[in-house]
Amino acid sequence: MGCRCHKCNAGCRCTAGGHAECSYACPCAAAPAACPNRRLQRGLRKRLQLFHTPAKAWCVRAAEPIMQGEFVIEYVGELISSAEAERRELLCPQSAHYMFCIGSDAKGNQAAVIDAYAVRNLAAFINFGCAPNLEMKRLPGPHGDRRFPRVAFFAKAHIKAGEELTYRRDPSATTCKKWSDIACRCGSANCRKWL
């Protein structure tokens, strides 16, 4: 459908106070570099560092300060159907740790999954945390098809250089039944003990 922005360098109206991305149909497509609403399309801009700990294995930390609200990284992997995700999980249970449900059909059934087990970027190594400093957002891609959003992480607060990046696995989970059986090792004072 596109947005109603006419001069993105004067302020795009696509965001309407939230996070959004301009699409190929937006008038700003003629000059995308001037549009402030194409953060994911510009790719990784923050310096991040992969590191290893005995307790949590692989982790990611900021290699430079990140301001609150800034785009940090996109979660990247193979876009597959929920049926294919189930098939892969049966073959390799470990792959379930890298799958991200991103869309649903008209009946509310899971329709699409990002599988970052074999094809991934640094975002696949960001750990879960009970006091996260990242906020996950599902944003429509430039193709405009809302059934297949992109997953992006934004800073919830100011992040210092050297600080580990974390996000909440399932912010809507309020009971132990909705949490996984994987022990949480985030170390937060208010850790809920399970992911």
Side-chain angles (χ1 to χ4, degrees):
M1 295 290 293
C3 68
R4 295 187 184 95
C5 54
H6 301 290
K7 294 182 180 177
C8 282
N9 56 0
C12 184
R13 288 185 246 158
C14 292
T15 56
H19 295 290
E21 282 278 307
C22 285
S23 72
Y24 297 134
C26 294
C28 58
C35 179
N37 232 18
R38 294 179 179 271
R39 292 164 294 207
L40 273 71
Q41 296 168 54
R42 288 190 188 101
L44 184 64
R45 295 281 191 234
K46 296 295 172 187
R47 290 184 318 127
L48 307 176
Q49 183 181 39
L50 184 66
F51 68 102
H52 193 273
T53 69
K56 295 196 260 184
W58 293 108
C59 309
V60 178
R61 64 180 156 220
E64 65 180 297
I66 302 172
M67 301 305 292
Q68 181 177 359
E70 283 188 307
F71 166 65
V72 178
I73 193 169
E74 180 179 3
Y75 194 87
V76 175
E78 293 178 86
L79 184 61
I80 59 174
S81 69
S82 59
E84 176 62 12
E86 289 176 18
R87 186 189 76 77
R88 290 182 182 190
E89 188 176 345
L90 287 173
L91 292 172
C92 177
Q94 183 71 15
S95 67
H97 299 287
Y98 297 93
M99 293 194 189
F100 218 112
C101 176
I102 60 164
S104 56
D105 60 20
K107 296 178 184 176
N109 299 318
Q110 182 177 319
V113 175
I114 297 174
D115 180 1
Y117 183 67
V119 177
R120 58 185 161 206
N121 68 352
L122 202 56
F125 298 102
I126 297 174
N127 286 313
F128 305 126
C130 297
N133 53 14
L134 295 180
E135 180 178 25
M136 184 271 301
K137 296 280 185 183
R138 288 177 172 88
L139 302 176
H143 48 68
D145 190 337
R146 294 189 181 271
R147 294 175 302 164
F148 306 109
R150 294 167 76 172
V151 175
F153 293 106
F154 292 85
K156 283 182 72 172
H158 179 70
I159 300 170
K160 298 175 186 169
E163 188 177 339
E164 182 185 353
L165 303 178
T166 60
Y167 69 99
R168 177 68 59 89
R169 182 175 191 265
D170 186 357
S172 63
T174 55
T175 67
C176 292
K177 289 181 180 178
K178 291 187 178 181
W179 301 343
S180 76
D181 57 356
I182 302 168
C184 183
R185 296 184 178 96
C186 74
S188 169
N190 58 350
C191 180
R192 59 186 192 179
K193 308 301 181 203
W194 304 99
L195 298 180

